[in-house]
Amino acid sequence: AASIVYTIGGGPCTGPRPPSTRSIKTTRTQKKVEKVPKVYWHHMLDDEVKQSLQEKSIRMTTGTIDVALDQWRIKLGNDGYCSSAHANKTLSEGNFVCSESGMVEFDWSHCISFIGGEWVAQDSNDMFTSFYLNGDNIKRVPQNESPEMLWGSDFTDPLSALEANGFKMRRVVLTTKPNNQ
């Protein structure tokens, strides 16, 4: 007759333990998993539009394209997210769609301006609604441009107003820094 064997803790033995994952050693010589190249939203642009952006030195190495339209600085990001800053101390954000021919259409959902020493909500209906990425009026955002360079020093941090008005952004970044900085 079989007898029940008990463990040191008093419970019945259930058989051999499964192999421990600790016993599997990983070495530095194992093959690294190949990274799948990222496909950004702007890869679908026509070659003519891409060439126009490259000729203007507008970076397309990340998921975001930063452009200047007169005194506006516009960020076109992943998943249709966009934001903008104007030299008159206005910030806005919303969504965009872009065609292969470079026609960008905007739906602005939030807008604030620095007026009378504070950031206040504004109507976004007065914002531009579209432009062509390869238009002559589209320029490169000056390298390393900061809010202070665009606005001067007479403004406060917009964080609390961004949060209070439903913005996703939490800080103002006008252009991405090159990888080597």
Side-chain angles (χ1 to χ4, degrees):
S3 61
I4 298 176
V5 178
Y6 291 94
T7 64
I8 294 175
C13 286
T14 57
R17 291 183 179 173
S20 170
T21 55
R22 289 185 216 165
S23 63
I24 301 171
K25 294 182 181 179
T26 55
T27 65
R28 293 179 185 227
T29 59
Q30 288 180 337
K31 290 184 180 179
K32 292 184 178 182
V33 177
E34 288 187 36
K35 290 184 179 179
V36 177
K38 291 185 178 181
V39 178
Y40 298 116
W41 68 268
H42 49 78
H43 284 220
M44 60 70 170
L45 292 171
D46 290 342
D47 289 342
E48 177 184 317
V49 179
K50 290 178 186 177
Q51 182 178 346
S52 171
L53 294 172
Q54 289 169 349
E55 288 171 358
K56 296 174 184 180
S57 298
I58 295 173
R59 290 182 39 178
M60 295 183 295
T61 55
T62 68
T64 301
I65 292 181
D66 302 317
V67 297
L69 172 65
D70 301 319
Q71 294 187 321
W72 287 101
R73 304 300 182 258
I74 302 117
K75 186 173 291 295
L76 304 171
N78 292 313
D79 301 321
Y81 173 83
C82 61
S83 62
S84 69
H86 190 274
N88 70 0
K89 300 179 184 135
T90 295
L91 293 170
S92 54
E93 104 178 341
N95 296 296
F96 77 97
V97 293
C98 184
S99 69
E100 291 176 359
S101 65
M103 170 58 102
V104 183
E105 296 181 54
F106 297 92
D107 180 19
W108 299 107
S109 52
H110 308 291
C111 184
I112 59 174
S113 293
F114 192 72
I115 301 171
E118 65 181 332
W119 291 97
V120 295
Q122 296 291 306
D123 187 356
S124 60
N125 291 335
D126 296 333
M127 300 281 299
F128 55 90
T129 57
S130 64
F131 61 68
Y132 275 98
L133 276 174
N134 55 343
D136 291 338
N137 55 350
I138 299 300
K139 308 289 185 210
R140 175 180 181 245
V141 175
Q143 189 171 355
N144 298 325
E145 185 174 41
S146 66
E148 292 80 12
M149 294 167 71
L150 182 64
W151 296 332
S153 60
D154 184 29
F155 68 95
T156 60
D157 185 345
L159 176 61
S160 60
L162 293 170
E163 291 173 336
N165 287 284
F167 279 72
K168 292 178 184 176
M169 88 167 91
R170 293 294 178 252
R171 60 191 175 100
V172 181
V173 178
L174 302 180
T175 184
T176 51
K177 292 186 178 193
N179 292 338
N180 57 1
Q181 289 189 352

